[in-house]
Amino acid sequence: MKKTSTITGHVDLSIPAIVLCLLLLLPGCGNTKNEHSNHPKTLKEVLKDKFLIGVALNSRQSSGNDTAAVRIVKEHFNDIVAENCMKSIEIHPEENRYNFTQADEFVQFGVDNNLSITGHCLIWHSQLPAWFCVDENGENVSPEVLKERMKDHIYTVVGRYKGVIRGWDVVNEAILEDGSYRESKFYEILGEEFIPLAFQYAHEADPEAELYYNDYNEWYPGKRETVVRLINTLKKRGIRIDGIGMQGHLGVTNPALEAYQETIDDYVNAGVKVLITELDVSPLPEPRRIGGANLADREAYRKEIDPYTDGLPEDVAIEWNNRMMDLFDLFLKNSDNILRVTMWGVSDGDSWKNNFPVSGRTDYPLLFDRDHQPKEVVTRLIQQLSEY
Ligand code: 9MR
């Protein structure tokens, strides 16, 4: 766009110009020396030298229809991930049919708004289309066939967004809390080898893309030991892995921050970076204190475990804000080793937590409330980091 300029060579003190000059003399108005005028006001500004600050988008957001959420995304975040539309059931519903409509729209949203883009997720036992691991009789396919299918899926999806998507959750949630492998179809047919294969295919499809393993509840010692073993195996075999995604589906007291720190340390010592993914902190009672996101761990609705339908009492809101602040303090302390922190949704009304582990509750797990207003922790973070 061309800049407009005047070439008359004299200053024309018309009325608007005089008004402008007077305004410039008012304290804090256009005065570059004013000590507050240049202070950053958004999360992405204050965190820019620390780590990327990301958010998951649903398709109403990446299509631009949810304008209130889009305003927040553009203002505060610099990385996006698709909450659902890149999962295999959505993007590859039948063996010979891909559906890129929503994924393309999501990626375009990122490109148009100059955001870094995370791909989620390539190989996951859940939201997996029925055809993927079985033949026409419903029997498991052979290891060779499954390898071909995985390769085709990964080559096609990663290849389509090559050079545009910064990094991929290559494998999601393959390891259980006790450190054993989840008995998924992938594991049943290929054993542990399905994970190195998936990383290898993803690297072949886009050699520049960062590659991550993503899971929840990694502070369980058994689980993180197996994740560390996996990192070692990949590294020993020269297969690229950049980071471990630590899903943050947390409660206000569970888990302890020490366990979180130990997990970060273990991963960093194994030679990878950490990504805090899928962050949401629920202040609601945890019926069974299992934590995490295993979709099978559901609980029936009871009024007494849905106590805040009319809003969050002040003491609970204070506890929630303090917990989120403590978590961000921990992330900031580890910022040399953390590539990104991603919220799993824009505002409370969007969150999957309203339906997990109990359907139909009113939850408050995200940084922006149902009216799209920032919670106190957002203001505190911006203030604290601006003062450095
Ligand atoms: O937030 C997602 C929700 O809308 C879907 O219904 C659900 C279905 O599996 O997946 C949710 O996202 C999951 C993410 O992709 C992987 N980790 C756990 C997340 C919460 O279930």
Side-chain angles (χ1 to χ4, degrees):
M1 191 197 297
K2 268 192 173 172
K3 282 189 185 161
T4 52
S5 60
T6 68
I7 49 165
T8 52
H10 70 277
V11 181
D12 173 14
L13 279 184
S14 56
I15 291 180
I18 291 170
V19 171
L20 187 65
C21 287
L22 287 172
L23 276 174
L24 287 173
L25 293 174
L26 289 174
C29 189
N31 177 358
T32 51
K33 290 207 180 101
N34 181 295
E35 61 174 353
H36 296 297
S37 62
N38 288 331
H39 271 192
K41 299 279 187 307
T42 70
L43 287 175
K44 70 176 172 196
E45 285 174 318
V46 293
L47 293 168
K48 77 174 185 317
D49 299 325
K50 311 291 184 192
F51 38 69
L52 289 167
I53 179 80
V55 65
L57 302 189
N58 61 35
S59 39
R60 284 193 59 242
Q61 294 160 348
S62 41
S63 66
N65 287 333
D66 184 349
T67 50
V70 166
R71 211 173 311 120
I72 293 176
V73 176
K74 290 187 188 175
E75 195 176 338
H76 287 281
F77 296 92
N78 49 22
D79 185 282
I80 53 169
V81 60
E83 186 175 1
N84 285 304
C85 71
M86 283 188 163
K87 294 171 179 172
S88 54
I89 200 167
E90 304 288 339
I91 212 166
H92 197 175
E94 293 170 50
E95 184 168 8
N96 296 313
R97 184 168 69 85
Y98 284 88
N99 175 3
F100 290 113
T101 313
Q102 287 188 355
D104 283 356
E105 195 169 62
F106 160 78
V107 171
Q108 194 58 46
F109 179 94
V111 171
D112 291 346
N113 293 294
N114 206 16
L115 302 166
S116 106
I117 307 171
T118 297
H120 174 85
C121 50
L122 296 170
I123 297 295
W124 188 26
H125 68 279
S126 185
Q127 287 180 295
L128 177 72
W131 65 268
F132 207 110
C133 299
V134 296
D135 62 19
E136 56 289 353
N137 303 317
E139 303 292 333
N140 283 356
V141 291
S142 69
E144 286 319 308
V145 171
L146 185 56
K147 281 188 211 171
E148 272 315 306
R149 289 184 181 179
M150 283 172 55
K151 189 169 175 180
D152 171 75
H153 176 76
I154 293 174
Y155 271 36
T156 308
V157 176
V158 175
R160 186 173 182 92
Y161 304 111
K162 184 176 175 185
V164 182
I165 286 203
R166 178 195 199 97
W168 283 95
D169 291 336
V170 179
V171 175
N172 205 31
E173 301 170 12
I175 296 164
L176 300 179
E177 280 67 8
D178 66 0
S180 63
Y181 276 73
R182 182 188 295 279
E183 298 281 343
S184 68
K185 287 273 180 204
F186 295 107
Y187 182 74
E188 224 175 283
I189 300 170
L190 289 168
E192 295 178 15
E193 190 57 18
F194 84 89
I195 303 185
L197 281 171
F199 276 80
Q200 181 198 319
Y201 298 150
H203 183 59
E204 286 164 4
D206 184 356
E208 302 299 320
E210 293 177 1
L211 305 181
Y212 324 120
Y213 173 76
N214 188 46
D215 213 326
Y216 56 80
N217 276 357
E218 288 163 89
W219 52 90
Y220 279 76
K223 189 172 231 184
R224 72 175 190 251
E225 274 164 31
T226 302
V227 176
V228 167
R229 258 208 325 279
L230 171 67
I231 300 167
N232 293 337
T233 304
L234 293 174
K235 285 192 169 280
K236 225 179 293 153
R237 291 169 57 177
I239 298 173
R240 178 169 184 167
I241 177 163
D242 296 85
I244 301 295
M246 291 174 62
Q247 295 180 22
H249 301 298
L250 312 177
V252 277
T253 53
N254 191 34
L257 291 181
E258 293 70 27
Y260 225 91
Q261 180 66 59
E262 281 167 23
T263 313
I264 295 174
D265 291 343
D266 281 1
Y267 292 164
V268 171
N269 290 336
V272 292
K273 297 288 185 193
V274 166
L275 305 106
I276 306 299
T277 61
E278 307 187 19
L279 182 59
D280 44 38
V281 174
S282 172
L284 298 188
E286 286 181 84
R288 284 184 285 156
R289 276 181 78 84
I290 299 169
N294 184 15
L295 292 174
D297 293 335
R298 298 201 143 273
E299 188 87 8
Y301 182 90
R302 305 191 304 279
K303 179 67 194 119
E304 63 273 21
I305 53 173
D306 185 21
Y308 310 130
T309 45
D310 296 331
L312 215 49
E314 205 181 326
D315 57 333
V316 183
I318 291 172
E319 192 188 12
W320 185 92
N321 277 289
N322 288 342
R323 167 71 159 173
M324 197 54 113
M325 196 68 202
D326 289 346
L327 284 163
F328 268 91
D329 278 341
L330 180 89
F331 304 152
L332 287 164
K333 211 171 81 197
N334 289 278
S335 64
D336 285 351
N337 293 309
I338 292 183
L339 297 176
R340 166 167 52 81
V341 174
T342 288
M343 301 304 305
W344 202 240
V346 179
S347 66
D348 285 342
D350 305 325
S351 174
W352 76 295
K353 289 294 294 176
N354 293 301
N355 289 304
F356 183 83
V358 179
S359 271
R361 294 200 296 180
T362 305
D363 209 337
Y364 301 82
L366 297 171
L367 293 179
F368 292 83
D369 68 19
R370 281 178 168 68
D371 298 323
H372 297 95
Q373 296 308 306
K375 298 194 187 165
E376 193 209 316
V377 65
V378 175
T379 325
R380 265 161 79 185
L381 266 172
I382 292 172
Q383 223 160 37
Q384 175 184 310
L385 288 160
S386 306
E387 281 162 9
Y388 276 163

